[in-house]
Amino acid sequence: MSNWLTQALAQYQSSDSTDWLSAAREKSLQQLHNTAWPTRKTENWRYTPLACLERTSVAEPTNDAFTAESIEGLECIEIVFVNGKLVSELTDNIPGVSISLLSESKESAQNLFQKVKPEHHVFGLVNDVLASAGVVIDVDESVVVDTPIRLVHWQNGGESHVRHLVRVGKGASLAVIEEYRGDNPLVATQYAEYQLEDDAKLNHYRFALHTNQAMVVGGSHFNLSDRSELHSTLIGFGSLLSRVDIDINHCGEHAMATQNSVYLLEGKEIFDLHSNVEHTKPNGTTEENIRGIVGDEAKAVFNGRIHIHRHAQKTLAELNNRNLLLTNKAEVNTKPELEIYADDVRCAHGATVAELDTKALYYLRSRGVSEQEARIMLNFGFINELIEQLPLEPLVEWLQGELKRRFNDLRNQIPGVEAV
Amino acid sequence: MSQAALLSVKGLEAKVEDKTILKGLDLEIKPGEVHAIMGPNGAGKSTLGYVLSGREGYEVVGGEATLAGTELLDIDIEERSRAGLFLAFQYPVEIPGVSNLEFLKSSVDAHREAQGLEPISSKEFLKEAREACKQVNLPAEFLKRGVNEGFSGGEKKRNEIMQMLLLKPKLCILDESDSGLDIDALQVVAEGVNSMRDGERSFVVVTHYQRLLDYIKPDFVHVLSDGKIVKSGDASLALELEAQGYSWLTEQRSADPIEMHKEVM
């Protein structure tokens, strides 16, 4: 067991454990004791060292005032946590939707906790034990929620353990934005579990926008029932340690999932994305597009697994990871994995370190755009392609702004573009 | 008496990989003229546009080309555009992720900068771009989409014409802008071109068919075969070609290539 973990768990042992989750917490704690702490030899953590957790001194948060920057033109239900504490009002006026704090939830949430997130995530177990910040959202049958729910977490030090539990009822529809930000050295585990009932629809966004001093591990996990539909978008900036696990379980038939991820890394950041899709039932569809631009000496890790079980006939699954490396020292470790045990399925996967399309470059230049500017446009276009197709236009514009801000730091590294 | 040429191409020879495609092509176009270039497949019609615009992989091995006094073959792709050359592509490329509007504004600003002008204001540009969309019958929403992303063949061709309207080039080369178009789209393209004829701007219309020339009346028609212009005439030549095909020309040429070449001049 690592020193970090010992210290982290000490918080639990010394705290009052009579809450509604105590049984589940105890179980995970036991499991954690029986689980080896990841090292470089652990396949799932091969490229992402955890030593920073031991080495980095993390000061207590200063609890500065924080206001979530609004997304212009987008009406959202905003729920804001600062250093793990709720600082906004919890709304209770959406018909058919209940939102409560994790800490105040009752038995109804019991069957959502640790029901979607797979048990093998070590930090997930830590989160089970320590989770204190987060909300439980339950959408009743057939309720179409027009206003997206935006869950903002901001942290400027210390440790926090975030857990959101979301159930989208039969035929209901919801959009959730998970937004994580932070300054200064900090540690956080950030997990969300989503249960989609039959015919439910979820638009999901996860934005990991920490600065480079954060050490964050987390994931978003989804159970898809019959004919449910998930559209998930992940935006990741790297950090000292930034690891996200996306798990999608096709528990029902005819479910559909699209998962698009974009990462944009600079400095010595690490961003590690693991996605795992389980097709246990027939007629499911999964499409994953993951694109990244890696500059400076940053490192991206992508591991995308699609597991098609024996009975999951007529599955359609596609996984594609493309990367642009801007410098000689930028690094990407990508591994798509298909495991197929059914014989009537259509699957494709690919992972590339891409180069710019020379035809596109010629086309832009033939209209008078300089080669440098054309290269910049095409590099941004490479990631923007996954953003521009999102359904909420104000969100698209806001995201493009966030990405451009960071992209502008990197543009001088684009091969063929001279430093200005 | 003789006006200076806008485009002057002399003895142009070019190869792609190891294959020589243009074998000494001569062409002179004066301001305000419309020239049609016709000819059999593989004659080098598209190559001419690619070579003049500077596409990679098209290597010039001989000859020269000047546009309004600028030596085209010595300068970069983007500089040729800023010098007033516009090639409307036969197969415009799709560039998802790069918005049409952003791309067009960058193009227009690059042209303005070359002329010593300030960048156009976003508001003013949007107005102009919307106007241009309307003129080629494209919904203004197309400006927000990725460059040619998911456009139909006809929409791509109209987008090319829209770019031409915004960039106001001195010389436009239309590379089979009629291919794959129905009659309505063809008229839109032709009207776009005709609206830009002002006695100064010149056009090279590369086409297989007489049909487009019913709408865009050429002053001269040239037949390009095996990398050279083998016959030139007025608009009636296009009708003759429509009726008889190209074989009589290519045969005649092999019989007496020198005589043919004189006729071109």
Side-chain angles (χ1 to χ4, degrees), chain B residues 172-188:
Chain B
C172 311
I173 303 173
L174 308 174
D175 189 6
E176 299 198 23
S177 294
D178 51 341
S179 69
L181 294 191
D182 61 28
I183 207 79
D184 292 338
L186 189 75
Q187 285 185 14
V188 168

Side-chain angles (χ1 to χ4, degrees), chain A residues 150-401:
Chain A
R150 182 180 177 208
L151 307 168
V152 183
H153 284 268
W154 184 80
Q155 193 176 338
N156 70 349
E159 233 176 87
S160 78
H161 301 277
V162 176
R163 184 67 157 269
H164 298 301
L165 306 174
V166 179
R167 196 186 71 92
V168 190
K170 275 187 187 176
S173 158
L174 180 70
V176 175
I177 301 167
E178 295 174 46
E179 185 179 328
Y180 303 102
R181 293 174 181 274
D183 285 332
N184 305 333
L186 65 92
V187 174
T189 66
Q190 301 163 329
Y191 287 86
E193 301 186 70
Y194 295 87
Q195 173 71 36
L196 276 69
E197 308 294 3
D198 293 350
D199 302 293
K201 192 174 167 188
L202 175 69
N203 280 312
H204 168 259
Y205 306 88
R206 182 175 179 122
F207 305 145
L209 309 176
H210 301 93
T211 61
N212 59 10
Q213 300 184 83
M215 291 172 277
V216 287
V217 181
S220 297
H221 314 279
F222 308 90
N223 275 355
L224 307 184
S225 306
D226 288 346
R227 299 170 304 278
S228 60
E229 207 179 297
L230 166 70
H231 299 282
S232 169
T233 302
L234 168 70
I235 307 295
F237 294 172
S239 295
L240 195 52
L241 166 63
S242 182
R243 161 70 174 254
V244 179
D245 280 271
I246 303 283
D247 292 271
I248 299 170
N249 301 313
H250 286 257
C251 315
E253 288 195 43
H254 293 282
M256 179 178 136
T258 60
Q259 207 288 312
N260 289 339
S261 295
V262 166
Y263 43 82
L264 196 48
L265 314 183
E266 63 181 11
K268 293 188 173 184
E269 293 171 351
I270 291 181
F271 182 74
D272 179 346
L273 170 62
H274 274 56
S275 80
N276 184 40
V277 181
E278 299 283 346
H279 280 273
T280 51
K281 290 286 170 65
N283 298 304
T285 305
T286 297
E287 194 186 326
E288 288 183 279
N289 279 296
I290 296 97
R291 292 200 183 174
I293 298 182
V294 187
D296 292 312
E297 298 172 41
K299 175 158 81 173
V301 182
F302 173 69
N303 192 108
R305 178 172 178 264
I306 296 180
H307 180 188
I308 300 173
H309 296 242
R310 199 155 58 92
H311 299 296
Q313 300 293 8
K314 308 279 182 196
T315 294
L316 299 179
E318 270 182 49
L319 167 67
N320 191 289
N321 172 226
R322 290 172 66 191
N323 296 278
L324 288 174
L325 295 180
L326 301 185
T327 69
N328 291 336
K329 288 185 172 169
E331 182 182 327
V332 56
N333 303 276
T334 174
K335 189 167 93 173
E337 289 179 74
L338 284 184
E339 278 184 52
I340 305 174
Y341 299 99
D343 55 13
D344 184 14
V345 300
R346 217 166 66 206
C347 294
H349 69 81
T352 55
V353 173
E355 286 188 10
L356 292 188
D357 178 359
T358 52
K359 278 188 200 152
L361 194 59
Y362 164 59
Y363 187 81
L364 297 179
R365 292 177 70 192
S366 80
R367 298 300 182 244
V369 178
S370 73
E371 182 179 352
Q372 295 203 23
E373 201 181 344
R375 285 182 183 277
I376 291 167
M377 283 165 84
L378 291 174
N379 269 275
F380 189 74
F382 175 76
I383 48 175
N384 187 41
E385 188 182 346
L386 297 184
I387 306 300
E388 65 176 10
Q389 48 185 275
L390 295 175
L392 299 168
E393 208 170 298
L395 188 65
V396 171
E397 282 176 20
W398 180 82
L399 265 181
Q400 285 171 334

